[in-house]
Amino acid sequence: MPLWYGGDYNPEQWPEEVWAEDVALMRRAGVTLVTVGVFAWSLLEPSEGRHTFGWLDRVLDLLADGGIRVDLAVPTASPPPWFSLAHPDALTVTRDGVRLTHGSRDTYCVSAPAYRAASLRITRALGERYRDHPALAMWHVHNEYGTPCHCDHAAAAFRTWLRERYGGLDALNDAWTTAFWGQHYSDWAQITPPRATQYLPNPAQALDFRRFVSDEMLAHFREQRDLLRELTPEVPVTTNYVLAGWASIDHWKWSREVDLVAVDHYPSGRGTAAAEQTAFAADLARSWADGRPWLLMEQATGYVTGPRMTAKEPGEIARHSLQHVARGAKGVMFFQWRASLGGAEQWHPGMVPHTGPDSRVFREVCALGEALKRIPPDEPADEPLVEAEVAILWDEEAWWAVQAPGLPSAELDCLAAVEQAHRVLWRQGVTTCFAHPSHDLSAYRAVLVPSLYLISDEAARDLGTYVRGGGTLVVSFFSGIADEHTRIRPGGYPGALREILGVRVEEFRPLADAVTLTDFGVATAWSEVVHLDGAEAVARYPGGGPAVTRRRLGEGMAWYVSTRLGDSGYAGVLARAGLAGSGAPGVEIVRRRDRVFALNHTQDEQPVPVHGTDLISGEPVTGVLNPGQCVVVRAT
Ligand code: GAL
């Protein structure tokens, strides 16, 4: 199947006469798939149980006539105002106890019975209405699940979830260390979500609540999905994940439940930083999809995060999109088709900007549509879409735990450490993927463990087996410290990984000022008093204590980095561990099965080891890329 191309289409924001022009412009741009109706619940069900599908019928018919398929949204992310007024108990309550009101979006409690019932009602109504519509290609359930609620419904559901997890209160009290600060629970009814507290909350309770929020939303997604599967067994059901710093769901778990992994990605960096973040997002998506194709559900034609919404530079819209395709996307979609004239996101760029189709952005959108058409579909094959020799461990639970207050340094940042590991290898042209600590890692040449605070006994044992079997393991500080209940492993850090690494860390010494190591340059934020216990020191702190160590274990090597290095220092460690790549910074070369994507993110001409005929332009590729140029050739 050719690559999908399109975006969120919100025709309800426009008079009907615009719709025909929309379809004509979509055809001009090569659009093949649009997500319709993500926030249209109030227009589809203007009062309880009364449905007004006429407008959506006309939109879908128009799109079908134009040969454009629809990723039809189930609009349950934003209940209508009548619903919120009738069921105030279904409105989100923040941890401070503030009940939010409608007027924005995503204001619901997934545990509220009225919300669940109304959500399933609109899901069924849409499923029954459009099950046979020729435009229907996919179901887009909800939008970016993730709004936590702290109300009494959530509290009741949390208690049910905890009973299943722990069986009895003794186990819960033990897991949460409730003996501290006299929090011992003697009745389930005493347990609440982690609402506003006088001082620090209980970290195990906070982490369990995040797990619960993800599971509770997943339970509701499953209900919606199963209903749709019953009505349309052939139509895939997906939902779009939000990336970056706001992940409220456990994407590894969710990815086993969706028919297609779909992600939204909005880089916060600009230029090369945006390219680095794009590769990171795409590798995460492919990893969640277990190496299979996934969908870029949303991106923007401009930069939308940060203090300024700036245009993407000429060529960047296509280059970012091709990064996603190179790394396994089966389609490239945008938020949104036409930039809105009013409403909260009226300044958000669209594929058709406020200026209209006579614009640079729309011309680039059309050129991208043309380019995507020329990239042939994947041949069916057993091998993975993209080969990666290096895996980076990524576990959202461990990340959530490091977001708690009360840790030994407010500068600990699990996501930043993971991003650095990916970025440093990306810059050297080493293709990486992500893995959960419970995954089988034996196929990877190296595994990086950047600040994985929580780790289970089994995962730690498996890492040891991995190293003994010949793997290279590079662990960074603040890993292996705690068990899955955030309880610290005694006897010296890094707890569960101490033996594998051959070190015993006696004390943490967070740094106020940078220090310079004997090798690998400047270290910031964090340092440790490390004792060698089978490992050798590779770099030392100014006082002489080991800072970077390595230990031969069985056939493999286990490295430990006990401080925060800069990118070049971390790259130096990886190089010593045998992980240096041969790529040039800003030049991205990725092989997707039999196609090689070569993308020049720099402003200079760049030599590349790529020859052949560019499938996009039909021009020969002779080992050089022009500034900003992207080519796709058949692998030889
Ligand atoms: C996404 C969301 C869209 C739109 C977009 C703006 O997170 O799904 O509805 O708000 O952000 O960038």
Side-chain angles (χ1 to χ4, degrees):
M1 200 177 61
L3 294 163
W4 291 116
Y5 185 46
D8 275 47
Y9 178 39
N10 298 308
E12 68 274 23
Q13 296 177 14
W14 298 88
E16 287 208 27
E17 42 297 2
V18 178
W19 299 355
E21 191 201 17
D22 281 331
V23 174
L25 290 176
M26 284 177 193
R27 288 172 63 83
R28 202 196 309 166
V31 164
T32 54
L33 182 71
V34 287
T35 300
V36 179
V38 176
F39 293 108
W41 192 350
S42 61
L43 290 170
L44 292 171
E45 191 179 355
S47 58
E48 183 161 357
R50 185 170 71 83
H51 295 122
T52 43
F53 288 128
W55 66 271
L56 188 55
D57 293 352
R58 294 195 291 284
V59 170
L60 263 53
D61 291 351
L62 261 176
L63 289 164
D65 290 349
I68 294 158
R69 305 294 304 282
V70 170
D71 170 33
L72 189 55
V74 175
T76 50
S78 283
W82 63 258
F83 173 84
S84 305
L85 289 171
H87 305 282
D89 62 305
L91 288 163
T92 316
V93 173
T94 66
R95 65 185 297 279
D96 295 326
V98 176
R99 190 175 290 282
L100 303 178
T101 58
H102 62 268
S104 180
R105 68 177 197 191
D106 298 286
T107 316
Y108 60 89
C109 171
V110 79
S111 305
Y115 171 79
R116 287 284 259 263
S119 168
L120 289 179
R121 192 173 59 233
I122 187 73
T123 307
R124 175 174 289 284
L126 280 159
E128 286 176 347
R129 180 89 181 182
Y130 297 108
R131 59 196 295 177
D132 296 321
H133 199 285
L136 179 67
M138 203 181 326
W139 290 109
H140 179 300
V141 175
H142 208 90
N143 192 66
E144 297 182 339
Y145 278 94
T147 309
C149 178
H150 301 73
C151 75
D152 290 344
H153 294 305
F158 185 37
R159 285 179 207 121
T160 305
W161 183 91
L162 289 168
R163 274 173 189 264
E164 271 168 36
R165 183 171 171 85
Y166 293 107
L169 276 176
D170 287 350
L172 178 138
N173 279 308
D174 184 39
W176 287 12
T177 318
T178 54
F180 192 76
W181 283 349
Q183 292 171 358
H184 188 271
Y185 294 104
S186 55
D187 192 314
W188 289 100
Q190 296 160 1
I191 301 174
T192 61
R195 294 173 175 151
T197 43
Q198 191 278 337
Y199 185 41
L200 299 177
N202 181 317
Q205 177 188 8
L207 179 59
D208 267 347
F209 186 67
R210 297 201 68 165
R211 291 176 172 131
F212 154 76
V213 168
S214 177
D215 285 356
E216 180 76 343
M217 292 193 176
L218 183 55
H220 185 48
F221 169 78
R222 278 203 209 102
E223 290 172 334
Q224 293 174 284
R225 179 203 64 193
D226 292 351
L227 206 162
L228 294 168
R229 276 189 183 162
E230 190 189 304
L231 295 167
T232 53
E234 305 299 322
V235 180
V237 183
T238 189
T239 185
N240 50 336
Y241 301 161
V242 62
L243 289 174
W246 185 75
S248 290
I249 60 171
D250 180 339
H251 293 104
W252 291 115
K253 226 182 208 184
W254 276 68
S255 298
R256 297 198 292 267
E257 306 284 347
V258 294
D259 292 329
L260 176 69
V261 166
V263 302
D264 300 346
H265 187 243
Y266 297 93
S268 58
R270 304 290 189 259
T272 312
E276 287 164 357
Q277 293 170 344
T278 301
F280 178 88
D283 284 339
L284 257 182
R286 190 185 65 259
S287 305
W288 287 328
D290 200 16
R292 290 189 293 271
W294 51 277
L295 181 64
L296 175 67
M297 189 66 92
E298 291 181 23
Q299 62 171 339
T301 56
Y303 290 110
V304 296
T305 55
R308 280 167 223 100
M309 289 192 192
T310 51
K312 288 194 173 171
E313 293 301 321
E316 276 189 320
I317 295 174
R319 217 163 44 243
H320 292 170
S321 302
L322 290 173
Q323 284 188 277
H324 287 292
V325 175
R327 291 168 190 272
K330 67 184 287 168
V332 165
M333 313 271 287
F334 290 85
F335 180 85
Q336 60 178 333
W337 166 248
R338 251 185 213 274
S340 305
L341 300 184
E345 291 185 334
Q346 67 194 128
W347 293 107
H348 194 288
M351 298 168 83
V352 183
H354 289 153
T355 333
D358 183 11
S359 56
R360 174 182 70 87
V361 165
F362 189 66
R363 283 187 283 279
E364 290 198 27
V365 162
C366 293
L368 174 58
E370 193 53 43
L372 295 178
K373 264 187 230 160
R374 297 184 187 180
I375 299 174
D378 300 306
E379 299 290 341
D382 284 339
E383 76 250 34
L385 274 183
V386 177
E387 301 270 4
E389 289 187 349
V390 180
I392 301 170
L393 294 196
W394 172 239
D395 178 5
E396 269 139 355
E397 293 190 358
W399 175 35
W400 295 340
V402 180
Q403 290 174 331
L407 295 177
S409 166
E411 289 184 278
L412 288 164
D413 187 338
C414 171
L415 178 60
V418 173
E419 285 172 340
Q420 181 188 50
H422 186 273
R423 174 173 72 234
V424 160
L425 289 172
W426 182 85
R427 287 185 186 160
Q428 301 180 55
V430 178
T431 306
T432 49
C433 69
F434 295 91
H436 187 268
S438 63
H439 287 173
D440 176 5
L441 303 170
S442 54
Y444 300 108
R445 185 157 74 86
V447 172
L448 309 188
V449 185
S451 297
L452 186 71
Y453 175 48
L454 306 184
I455 193 163
S456 68
D457 291 342
E458 300 74 50
R461 193 196 53 223
D462 292 351
L463 285 178
T465 310
Y466 166 76
V467 179
R468 285 189 190 86
T472 297
L473 184 71
V474 184
V475 175
S476 304
F477 63 99
F478 217 60
S479 296
I481 308 293
D483 69 8
E484 56 269 47
H485 304 300
T486 71
R487 289 179 304 205
I488 291 155
R489 296 167 184 282
Y493 316 114
L497 303 176
R498 213 165 48 217
E499 281 184 40
I500 301 170
L501 299 171
V503 297
R504 189 171 63 83
V505 174
E506 190 180 337
E507 287 175 15
F508 292 150
R509 294 278 180 89
L511 294 172
D513 301 311
V515 297
T516 304
L517 307 186
T518 53
D519 210 343
F520 311 124
V522 170
T524 55
W526 190 259
S527 74
E528 299 180 348
V529 178
V530 179
H531 298 290
L532 301 176
D533 193 7
E536 60 177 306
V538 180
R540 292 184 179 271
Y541 290 107
V548 178
T549 65
R550 72 175 169 200
R551 179 194 194 187
R552 174 154 293 290
L553 184 65
E555 301 296 305
M557 191 70 92
W559 291 73
Y560 184 53
V561 182
S562 71
T563 183
R564 181 185 291 168
L565 299 174
D567 284 358
S568 62
Y570 187 70
V573 173
L574 296 185
R576 291 282 286 281
L579 297 176
S582 54
V587 180
E588 184 169 359
I589 300 178
V590 183
R591 182 170 169 162
R592 173 172 172 159
R593 293 240 176 92
D594 65 337
R595 268 104 0 114
V596 176
F597 289 68
L599 317 174
N600 181 0
H601 297 283
T602 75
Q603 309 293 319
D604 305 306
E605 209 174 71
Q606 295 284 355
V608 283
V610 177
H611 297 266
T613 302
D614 177 19
L615 297 172
I616 298 176
S617 66
E619 299 290 325
V621 181
T622 55
V624 178
L625 291 183
N626 294 327
Q629 193 183 4
C630 303
V631 298
V632 186
V633 302
R634 289 263 180 218
T636 44

